[in-house]
Amino acid sequence: MLQIQTEKDYQMVVEDFSDMIYRTAYQNLMNTADAEDVVQDVFIRLLRNRKKKFTDKEHLKAWLLRVTINRCRDYRRFVLRRKETELTEFPETQMREETGRLSEEIEGLPQEDRTIVYLHYYEGYSIKEIAKIMGKNSNTVSSKLARARKKLRAMLEEA
């Protein structure tokens, strides 16, 4: 059993998973500041759930991803309710520099498809694991991944 009890345990989790959480939040929200807010929220939730026990490091990672995805959903709902104008995000981000043209095409996919593609190709999760993380049926995830690949292929061939 893995439990985050000490400050050292918490620090280890932050060091090991903050980049992954940021990348997941960024690919969901496409905004650096919002992604950073989500990262903070995820770690605050981890602090509040100190009594939560994880079977191993993979269980902890899956829990962090689930909380990140849910927090991104909550954040998008909140933003849709606001009547404010958002500042335009600068396109020169680390993620775009790292992945180039493909990243731009992935951004053109619907949000749920982007999440599935990201978890499968960037985080290395299987379809079954993604289904569990997202609370979806494995067949649904598999179909969405296949459709997303087809869309990406078409977009890349057009360019």
Side-chain angles (χ1 to χ4, degrees), residues 7-155:
E7 187 175 331
K8 186 177 179 183
D9 294 339
Y10 184 76
Q11 198 63 27
M12 184 256 333
V13 172
V14 170
E15 289 173 12
D16 289 351
F17 296 108
S18 59
D19 288 342
M20 175 200 66
I21 293 168
Y22 173 78
R23 289 189 311 265
T24 303
Y26 180 82
Q27 71 85 27
N28 270 276
L29 301 172
M30 297 301 175
N31 181 296
T32 303
D34 294 343
E36 290 169 351
D37 288 345
V38 168
V39 171
Q40 288 180 355
D41 288 349
V42 169
F43 286 120
I44 288 170
R45 291 199 182 177
L46 181 62
L47 273 174
R48 288 183 180 155
N49 288 307
R50 283 186 181 237
K51 295 191 191 305
K52 180 142 181 76
K53 294 180 182 175
F54 302 97
T55 54
D56 57 17
K57 205 167 183 175
E58 280 303 310
H59 181 216
L60 170 62
K61 182 178 177 182
W63 184 86
L64 290 169
L65 282 169
R66 178 79 249 151
V67 172
T68 302
I69 291 166
N70 287 339
R71 187 61 191 114
C72 288
R73 261 191 216 133
D74 295 344
Y75 201 86
R76 278 192 305 279
R77 284 185 203 133
F78 173 74
V79 169
L80 289 174
R81 284 189 220 138
R82 283 192 304 191
K83 303 270 192 231
E84 301 171 11
T85 304
E86 294 291 322
L87 294 174
T88 304
E89 182 68 20
F90 293 105
E92 295 79 31
T93 65
Q94 181 182 358
M95 190 170 192
R96 284 193 184 148
E97 290 170 5
E98 290 174 2
T99 57
R101 175 93 176 115
L102 183 59
S103 178
E104 292 174 18
E105 299 301 340
I106 290 171
E107 288 176 15
L109 294 173
Q111 185 277 318
E112 190 173 60
D113 293 353
R114 278 196 320 262
T115 300
I116 292 170
V117 167
Y118 175 79
L119 290 175
H120 186 70
Y121 289 105
Y122 292 89
E123 295 300 330
Y125 280 97
S126 69
I127 289 171
K128 186 176 178 180
E129 292 168 327
I130 295 169
K132 187 174 180 183
I133 289 169
M134 295 184 72
K136 303 264 183 209
N137 184 305
S138 292
N139 291 334
T140 303
V141 171
S142 179
S143 297
K144 286 183 173 286
L145 183 60
R147 277 189 236 123
R149 285 181 189 139
K150 191 174 182 178
K151 286 178 191 174
L152 285 171
R153 189 177 302 118
M155 286 189 275

